[in-house]
Amino acid sequence: MEIKKGIGVSPGVVISTAVVLDAEDLLIPRRQVETADVPAEIKRVEKALAESVADLTRLRKETAAKHGKEIGNIFDFHLGILRDKTTLKQLLTEIQTNQTTAEYAVSVVMRRFAANFLKMSDKYLSERVKDVYDVERRILRNLIGQKHKGLGQLKQDVIVIAHDLLPSQTAALDRAHVRGFATDVGGRTSHTAIVARAMGIPAVVGLGDITSEVSGGDTVIIDGNRGVLIINPDEDQLIEHREFERKLIRLETELAELRDLPAQTLDGHVVSLQANIEFPEEVRDATHRGAQGIGLYRTEFLYLASAQEPTEEDHYNSYVEAIRLLKGRPLVIRTLDLGADKYTQEKAANPERNPFLGDRSIRMCLHDIPMFKRQLRAIMRASVLGDVRIMFPMISTLMELRQAKMVLKDVTEELEDENQPFRQDIPIGIMIEVPSAALMANHFAREVNFFSIGTNDLIQYTLACDRTNEKVAGLFCPAHPAVLALIRDVIRAGVRNSISVSVCGEMAGEALYTLLLLGLGLTIFSMNGPDIPEVKKIIRSTTMAHAKQVARRVMSFDSERQVMHFLREETRKIIPEAF
Ligand code: PEP
Ligand code: MG
């Protein structure tokens, strides 16, 4: 047995048999064929293309039915390549002119496509190179007759081990049999991690070289809460984790009973627990777990999951769907937060040297006003259908906020000219996720209706620690006194200026920090849906007086270790089974 430490990105404990995805990688040697065999090779390639189209069409349909239309649309781009006439033409030319096997022709043509995409200056298009590789693998599997064993149609429970999962692979996982997954690379905000959380599959990422350490058929334990993977566990570890697995299931059942109860402390202080979503369909699960609204809708996933840049109507339809499912509960729509970790920089044509400090998020929107306006128009048009609020991410200067508001004003004037209704007094908020914004919170508070603290980025920028880099994951800590001081001051600035403040980073859903955030005066917690019940339980088991005492004590510490130790002890006093 071997214990590997990674980053737990989706909670839960599972014990199952491993399938290693990288073991399926196919090596295609160059092989010539006789002239007489060329027609047979052409037939083979045509058949493989048709089979691939059939596979993908089915997969697209199943995925859309299971996880919603947006996730299903991931496959549009793949289908587009397969159906494009030039794809077949190039394959035939390759086989006929160079007299190669169908496999070799596929490999050459797809690599050529990939190289062309990589050269594109449009970052969104250059990112699609990953999908080209995905298509290549699918055709090759059909050609070689080694049908992909189908992570969508497994016969038994498995844990998937991969270097990195492609977006389409993650979305196509068969929820009934894929019990968990683990990858070599990645951090909490990778595509894969976010989709895993949305689907409720326990996952650990950033495990280094796990694909070569685990063999298919090994028994593995994935502990998504602690970020641990155990290869071929011994009897004691199996017993311990089976017990932990049972405990979590029991706890979940017990917590589900809290769904309709208010998030109210024993001495009557009420807070609001809301959910973060990436796709409108997630609203259902979020409200089912007791979310009182959506505190963060990461709209950039509309871009990441689709082959083309979304139109105004695509935006609008997604917002209308979320509003419909929310039945009057609030919806905070965050404008596009693309760039940095939401592109694979290595695949981008002109990688920025410091993508997290580069042209991302609101900066990117202010550099592409037509794109920004398309989204703002859709938000404003949808604003009359429910309790919609608008939030700008990554604001670091007052000027940026003012510019964003000016673009919004332009948009409302356009809508007025077109006689399109919109909500005149739509609440406008900003994310506080850069230290400069946190330090100037008092100034910002006079120009917005609400703040939402994005601790994921705030921690990264305060501690100079890449949030997606597994090598520095140990430094990335919400409990660092510098981070806590910023959070405290932002909450204070909100109170002083009578605007609401929420935390929507991962910290809001971590039970360890609930007492502290409550004691600091936080009134809105926005988190992944599955985290809501546990946070609610802590709130309902304490008093505001106690939480304030905890916060005062924590703010006197000078190290994150002390903070975490103290918070663990205090939380265990009220919920002994926590952690
Ligand atoms: C954050 O930075 O804390 C946040 C909520 O935004 P995202 O994770 O999408 O960057
Ligand atoms: Mg952020």
Side-chain angles (χ1 to χ4, degrees):
M1 62 83 191
E2 223 174 324
I3 302 178
K4 298 278 156 196
K5 185 87 186 82
I7 306 163
V9 293
S10 186
V13 172
V14 280
I15 305 168
S16 196
T17 312
V19 251
V20 183
L21 270 196
D22 272 26
E24 281 192 337
D25 267 354
L26 309 161
L27 252 180
I28 309 296
R30 182 182 178 123
R31 203 161 60 74
Q32 306 292 134
V33 292
E34 299 296 327
T35 317
D37 294 332
V38 164
E41 291 304 308
I42 289 177
K43 277 218 174 71
R44 289 184 65 225
V45 89
E46 285 172 340
K47 185 163 170 272
L49 281 185
E51 283 172 353
S52 305
V53 168
D55 287 352
L56 278 167
T57 312
R58 185 182 29 77
L59 201 53
R60 183 183 192 284
K61 206 166 134 208
E62 286 169 6
T63 307
K66 260 194 262 168
H67 307 298
K69 200 166 144 272
E70 273 84 2
I71 300 195
N73 287 347
I74 286 175
F75 301 106
D76 281 358
F77 180 81
H78 304 58
L79 279 165
I81 297 182
L82 287 168
R83 288 185 176 136
D84 190 335
K85 288 208 174 56
T86 55
T87 307
L88 181 62
K89 200 162 150 226
Q90 291 197 36
L91 286 168
L92 298 190
T93 311
E94 193 61 39
I95 297 175
Q96 282 159 340
T97 339
N98 297 327
Q99 292 196 351
T100 62
T101 55
E103 288 85 348
Y104 189 73
V106 168
S107 172
V108 169
V109 171
M110 290 297 147
R111 301 276 143 171
R112 198 183 297 147
F113 278 5
N116 288 343
F117 273 102
L118 264 181
K119 273 191 238 137
M120 293 187 185
S121 56
D122 181 325
K123 285 187 197 152
Y124 175 76
L125 285 174
S126 59
E127 163 75 1
R128 304 272 66 80
V129 73
K130 235 178 172 177
D131 297 309
V132 176
Y133 290 133
D134 204 3
V135 172
E136 178 192 1
R137 290 226 292 254
R138 186 173 298 279
I139 311 175
L140 287 176
R141 279 190 206 108
N142 278 322
L143 263 177
I144 296 167
Q146 180 193 349
K147 288 257 184 198
H148 185 28
K149 276 177 230 81
L151 286 176
Q153 305 140 28
L154 293 157
K155 297 239 160 21
Q156 61 177 63
D157 288 357
V158 296
I159 284 174
V160 174
I161 311 284
H163 178 67
D164 193 8
L165 280 176
L166 296 167
S168 65
Q169 286 174 314
T170 317
L173 294 178
D174 171 359
R175 185 66 196 90
H177 290 300
V178 175
R179 304 285 317 284
F181 70 76
T183 57
D184 290 339
V185 296
R188 277 196 74 78
T189 56
S190 59
H191 243 109
T192 315
I194 288 173
V195 178
R197 278 199 291 281
M199 294 169 74
I201 300 178
V204 179
V205 303
L207 282 155
D209 196 15
I210 201 70
T211 39
S212 49
E213 289 169 87
V214 175
S215 307
D218 280 351
T219 298
V220 291
I221 298 178
I222 284 198
D223 180 340
N225 296 59
R226 288 182 269 205
V228 166
L229 179 142
I230 305 175
I231 310 168
N232 292 325
D234 60 27
E235 202 47 40
D236 288 347
Q237 287 169 322
L238 279 173
I239 293 170
E240 184 198 336
H241 280 84
R242 278 196 192 115
E243 182 45 40
F244 192 41
E245 195 178 8
R246 276 195 290 271
K247 195 171 127 188
L248 285 178
I249 294 168
R250 267 201 312 272
L251 191 65
E252 200 162 303
T253 321
E254 191 190 309
L255 289 174
E257 289 161 16
L258 297 177
R259 189 182 70 194
D260 301 319
L261 299 174
Q264 182 175 10
T265 60
L266 294 169
D267 49 355
H269 180 83
V270 180
V271 297
S272 176
L273 301 188
Q274 307 192 359
N276 298 345
I277 57 163
E278 287 74 40
F279 298 103
E281 289 74 21
E282 291 172 63
V283 170
R284 254 189 224 105
D285 183 65
T287 52
H288 181 71
R289 293 178 192 266
Q292 293 166 275
I294 299 302
L296 168 65
Y297 177 6
R298 292 181 161 105
T299 57
E300 57 278 2
F301 276 80
L302 194 57
Y303 280 68
L304 298 172
S306 148
Q308 294 92 26
E309 189 186 321
T311 61
E312 181 182 324
E313 282 320 292
D314 293 333
H315 281 289
Y316 179 75
N317 293 337
S318 296
Y319 306 154
V320 170
E321 176 64 358
I323 294 166
R324 186 181 69 78
L325 294 170
L326 276 164
K327 301 190 173 83
R329 298 179 186 93
L331 171 67
V332 177
I333 303 182
R334 176 176 76 182
T335 59
L336 295 172
D337 187 30
L338 286 168
D341 52 319
K342 289 176 188 135
Y343 278 118
T344 312
Q345 286 294 322
E346 73 216 18
K347 307 278 190 231
N350 298 306
E352 292 183 86
R353 275 187 293 277
N354 284 302
F356 279 104
L357 305 181
D359 185 27
R360 63 169 294 206
S361 198
I362 193 72
R363 301 171 185 178
M364 189 187 265
C365 288
L366 292 173
H367 289 156
D368 189 344
I369 302 287
M371 174 184 81
F372 194 26
K373 277 189 166 177
R374 268 193 290 286
Q375 174 171 40
L376 293 176
R377 280 178 60 92
I379 299 175
M380 293 313 289
R381 282 171 52 209
S383 68
V384 288
L385 304 174
D387 183 353
V388 175
R389 304 162 192 201
I390 196 164
M391 177 158 78
F392 299 123
M394 256 290 279
I395 295 285
S396 57
T397 70
L398 271 169
M399 201 46 73
E400 265 168 351
L401 168 63
R402 290 176 189 156
Q403 279 172 359
K405 283 169 84 172
M406 260 156 54
V407 180
L408 182 62
K409 183 139 193 310
D410 275 359
V411 161
T412 55
E413 281 168 7
E414 278 169 28
L415 291 174
E416 246 161 22
D417 289 347
E418 296 165 23
N419 282 327
Q420 300 235 42
F422 62 88
R423 183 172 164 193
Q424 303 274 356
D425 61 345
I426 188 165
I428 298 173
I430 56 169
M431 290 197 67
I432 302 280
E433 43 189 354
V434 181
S436 62
L439 292 166
M440 287 183 65
N442 265 315
H443 296 269
F444 280 105
R446 292 182 208 124
E447 303 197 19
V448 292
N449 304 103
F450 65 92
F451 285 156
S452 190
I453 308 176
T455 45
N456 305 340
D457 278 311
L458 188 60
I459 296 166
Q460 134 165 296
Y461 293 125
T462 306
L463 303 180
C465 172
D466 179 348
R467 63 190 261 190
T468 65
N469 183 342
E470 59 277 9
K471 295 199 182 73
V472 290
L475 278 175
F476 188 95
C477 183
H480 192 291
V483 174
L484 299 182
L486 291 176
I487 295 174
R488 176 199 56 200
D489 293 349
V490 173
I491 297 175
R492 276 188 188 158
V495 171
R496 214 172 289 136
N497 293 279
S498 308
I499 66 166
S500 71
V501 179
S502 73
V503 168
C504 65
E506 297 302 309
M507 182 186 189
E510 289 179 41
L512 184 64
Y513 300 109
T514 306
L515 280 177
L516 168 65
L517 291 174
L518 187 66
L520 287 175
L522 190 74
T523 50
I524 305 172
F525 296 62
S526 191
M527 63 198 81
N528 295 308
D531 296 333
I532 292 177
E534 192 174 18
V535 169
K536 190 187 273 186
K537 176 153 187 189
I538 295 172
I539 290 168
R540 289 182 58 83
S541 310
T542 189
T543 59
M544 196 56 192
H546 176 229
K548 278 190 176 154
Q549 222 174 28
V550 167
R552 260 196 303 278
R553 190 73 201 284
V554 163
M555 296 315 289
S556 72
F557 294 144
D558 63 6
S559 86
E560 57 275 30
R561 289 182 126 224
Q562 258 178 315
V563 172
M564 287 195 288
H565 177 74
F566 177 69
L567 287 177
R568 204 169 289 126
E569 294 301 305
E570 288 298 307
T571 311
R572 275 199 190 129
K573 274 186 207 161
I574 54 174
I575 303 193
E577 70 273 22
F579 320 116

